[in-house]
Amino acid sequence: MLSNRRFLILTTALAPALWGTTYLTTTMFLPEDRPLLAATLRALPAGVLLLLVCRQLPRGEWWWKSWVLGILNIGAFFALLFIAAYRLPGGVAAIVGGIQPLVVALLASRVLHERLTPRIVVAGVTAVFGVGLITLQAQARLDAIGVLAAIGGTLSMASGMVLSKKWGQPAAPLTTTAWQLITGGLTLAVVMLAVEGLPVIPLTPSNLVGYAYLSVVGTAFAYVMWFRGIAGLPASTTAFLGLLSPVAAIILGWVVAGEDFTLMQTAGILMVLGSISAAIVTKNVKPSGINKVPADERGSLPVAPPP
């Protein structure tokens, strides 16, 4: 029987595995040159759906905290993610996220006082080399704007992860995920209307299927699992699990889109998986509370039990 920690790791790992399908879904199903529309239709419907389920709004300071986290984890991240996905071949944009565990580990050591151990550093460097092997063997054209967007998205999400861990969760993960998706989605909608405007060409059934999959499966479900993991695991552990996204992306690109897959890429994937294993193995780890609420907030914030 799985321990609670192992079960939490496995359910958290579902999120990046599903995110690895984003790039293939974008290139196969979504209309061209509409990254902000894709980001908005991924986030906002998912947030509304979850809010209809939980039926709970933020209170007090969690109005502005939800907005900050919504921009970092959803708004800015999704916009940059889809810009990268439109300008880079499948899998390459996700591979840039290989630097995220090191960024999160560094931020967590400063903000959350988590130990930045040599094992974590070595695992992070190994992961970077691993995703580098995958990238170099992909023989893909690297667009400068796409690469910068991917790096910006990585930094945005890393900051959002650490802040999410620092501030805790005043309600169940489903509820706090709904808040972030709605605030991030509304921010994206404003930017989308200002920059891209409404679509002129009607969306096709294929487009709608792609948006529905990304919103319900790749966002609503995946982010509930992800934020639950952030609350209950060390920030660096969760960040390393995020490396499953490029692994899933490159494998899907090979299986579905017929992209090249070489022995060097296989070695890179094995390095990435090894770095994840090294990072999540811990000894005498104190469990992290999923719903830590400061004493002065307990009177005004509804606190839900862990799911």
Side-chain angles (χ1 to χ4, degrees), residues 83-105:
I83 290 172
Y86 275 105
R87 301 186 71 99
L88 295 174
V92 175
I95 289 167
V96 178
I99 65 173
Q100 182 169 291
L102 286 175
V103 175
V104 170

Side-chain angles (χ1 to χ4, degrees), residues 282-304:
T282 58
K283 295 181 179 180
N284 299 324
V285 176
K286 295 180 180 180
S288 299
I290 287 184
N291 291 301
K292 293 183 178 178
V293 184
D296 58 349
E297 297 180 6
R298 291 173 187 163
S300 59
L301 291 173
V303 181

Side-chain angles (χ1 to χ4, degrees), residues 18-272:
L18 289 171
W19 295 336
T21 67
T22 299
Y23 306 97
L24 191 63
T25 303
T26 299
T27 55
M28 293 184 64
F29 293 99
L30 303 192
E32 296 181 357
D33 300 323
R34 296 304 306 260
L36 295 177
L37 175 65
T40 303
L41 292 182
R42 179 181 176 183
L44 196 53
V48 172
L49 175 64
L50 292 181
L51 190 62
L52 290 175
V53 174
C54 68
R55 297 180 180 275
Q56 184 176 332
L57 294 175
R59 295 184 183 181
E61 65 180 8
W62 274 95
W63 281 103
W64 68 265
K65 283 185 175 181
S66 295
W67 211 283
V68 171
L69 294 177
I71 291 175
L72 291 174
N73 285 319
I74 307 299
F77 174 65
F78 276 17
L80 294 169
L81 174 76
F82 278 100
I83 290 172
Y86 275 105
R87 301 186 71 99
L88 295 174
V92 175
I95 289 167
V96 178
I99 65 173
Q100 182 169 291
L102 286 175
V103 175
V104 170
L106 179 60
L107 289 175
S109 68
R110 302 297 182 184
V111 178
L112 304 175
H113 307 294
E114 292 185 5
R115 289 184 60 197
L116 184 61
T117 63
R119 175 169 53 83
I120 292 295
V121 174
V122 171
V125 173
T126 301
V128 173
F129 275 104
V131 295
L133 286 177
I134 301 172
T135 306
L136 291 175
Q137 295 302 313
Q139 297 179 349
R141 177 183 57 84
L142 297 181
D143 176 83
I145 295 177
V147 171
L148 289 175
I151 293 174
T154 296
L155 296 176
S156 177
M157 189 173 187
S159 302
M161 285 178 60
V162 173
L163 272 182
S164 297
K165 185 73 177 178
K166 180 178 176 63
W167 288 343
Q169 296 189 14
L174 186 146
T175 302
T176 56
T177 301
W179 300 344
Q180 292 188 46
L181 286 172
I182 288 179
T183 54
L186 288 173
T187 304
L188 281 167
V190 172
V191 177
M192 183 269 293
L193 291 173
V195 176
E196 291 182 355
L198 293 173
V200 178
I201 302 175
L203 298 177
T204 66
S206 178
N207 297 154
L208 295 176
V209 169
Y211 286 128
Y213 168 78
L214 288 179
S215 184
V216 177
V217 180
T219 302
F221 173 75
Y223 268 92
V224 170
M225 296 297 101
W226 184 248
F227 287 128
R228 189 173 186 273
I230 288 177
L233 295 169
S236 57
T237 297
T238 311
F240 272 93
L241 290 175
L243 292 171
L244 291 172
S245 179
V247 172
I250 203 69
I251 292 175
L252 281 173
W254 171 57
V255 173
V256 179
E259 297 179 355
D260 292 338
F261 193 80
T262 67
L263 289 176
M264 291 296 289
Q265 287 177 305
T266 302
I269 289 175
L270 291 176
M271 292 176 68
V272 170

